[in-house]
Structures are given as structure tokens and as C-alpha cells.
Amino acid sequence: MENWVPVVGTVSSIIGTIAAIIAAYYSFKSRPRQVKDFEMRVEDITSLNGKDRWDVSFAFCNGEESLIAKNGIVVVETDSIDLIKVNPKHDAAGMFSAPSVIFSDDSFNYSFKSLKPESKRIVSIKLDAKPGDYLLQWRTNGENIKKISDEVELKLKKDQTVNSPQ
């Protein structure tokens, strides 16, 4: 019987190692997935009455195939651009609704509860700025959104009406 002690110890050690490997594998596989394909772009630009005012529509896009972005916030830096107001949009029921946008001195923050996979939300903002090219820095974060920082180019020209992504 004494000859079996080293064998039993070795077998239990091997079984414990295999169990630890299996536990680590399932821990890795079941960790929460994060949205990594999030994008912001300029959707529409409309010059207002030849003045230095524009309606600009920004698109916030979730490019993931099967993952909903939850409780997110996007901060867009607008250094030399004066933000005037958020334009309300018609929702699916035909009612006016305004997105959750907060203006600060040099940025605006857009927050959302959830953004479905392969979809986008449009936020239209009236702003006051001189014609020119602007490089807007933006960053996003959320409950299951990887921290992403990027920039988007905003080209403002007199008498402009652009209805396609830049």
C-alpha cells in the first residue's frame, strides 16, 4: 500500500493541473466582450443663409456585428467653434425628440443608453464658426465600450450643402 502513495499524489497533481487549465480557459472565454469598432463621422453639412452658421449632423456608429454598445458617452472637442443648439429630429413615431447632448465651453458630450450592432445615431447641431477646415478630437467610453480616441475632419465652406459622409 505504501507503494501507491507517490502514484496517487502524482495523479491528483495532474488532475488538479488539468482542472486549473480548464477553469482558466472558461474564465477567458466568458469574460465580457467590448465594443471595439466605434466610429464618429460628419454626415451632413448645411450652410445657413450665407452667414457663419451651419447645421452639422454627426453620426455615431457601432460597427460591431453582434454586440450592443451600452451606457456610452462620446466627448467631442470643439475648440474654436461656438455651439448654439441641438436640432430635434423626428423619431420613428413621427414625434420630435432631442438626443442627450450637453454643451460645455469647448466641447459637447453625447450620451446614449444603447446602440445596436451595425447601426448609427445622428445628432444634428447648429453651430457658429468661420469657414475653414477643423480637426475635431473625440473620445468614447462606456459600460462595454473600449476607450477609443480619434479625430474627424469638419470642412465648412460658404453656401455648402453636403449630404454624404466625408
Side-chain angles (χ1 to χ4, degrees):
M1 198 68 168
E2 294 176 14
N3 295 341
W4 288 99
V5 172
V7 173
V8 171
T10 303
V11 170
S12 69
S13 178
I14 291 170
I15 292 172
T17 302
I18 292 171
I21 290 170
I22 292 170
Y25 171 77
Y26 282 110
S27 172
F28 176 77
K29 289 300 279 184
S30 65
R31 75 180 189 278
R33 292 179 40 218
Q34 288 192 322
V35 172
K36 297 175 185 162
D37 188 6
F38 193 91
E39 177 182 331
M40 182 196 138
R41 64 177 177 249
V42 175
E43 194 76 8
D44 294 333
I45 302 171
T46 304
S47 177
L48 300 176
N49 300 328
K51 298 180 182 176
D52 290 343
R53 290 197 175 181
W54 283 268
D55 275 337
V56 179
S57 294
F58 296 98
F60 300 94
C61 311
N62 178 3
E64 292 289 330
E65 290 183 14
S66 62
L67 192 59
I68 296 174
K70 297 177 187 171
N71 297 324
I73 185 165
V74 182
V75 179
V76 182
E77 304 291 334
T78 58
D79 295 326
S80 58
I81 297 174
D82 292 329
L83 303 167
I84 299 173
K85 71 172 189 168
V86 177
N87 297 321
K89 292 275 190 183
H90 285 286
D91 61 10
M95 310 233 347
F96 276 112
S97 64
S100 179
V101 176
I102 298 173
F103 293 154
S104 65
D105 291 337
D106 59 352
S107 68
F108 70 89
N109 302 337
Y110 167 62
S111 59
F112 56 90
K113 261 314 217 187
S114 67
L115 186 57
K116 293 181 180 177
E118 296 182 339
S119 66
K120 66 181 174 182
R121 295 254 176 88
I122 305 294
V123 174
S124 179
I125 296 179
K126 186 177 287 187
L127 50 90
D128 189 11
K130 298 287 182 194
D133 295 346
Y134 297 90
L135 197 58
L136 306 178
Q137 304 289 326
W138 66 272
R139 61 189 178 277
T140 186
N141 195 6
E143 182 178 315
N144 67 334
I145 303 170
K146 179 182 177 189
K147 291 181 182 179
I148 300 171
S149 296
D150 205 352
E151 50 196 28
V152 65
E153 189 173 12
L154 176 62
K155 295 181 180 183
L156 301 176
K157 298 176 182 139
K158 289 283 188 183
D159 302 321
Q160 178 179 28
T161 302
V162 175
N163 293 325
S164 61
Q166 291 185 350

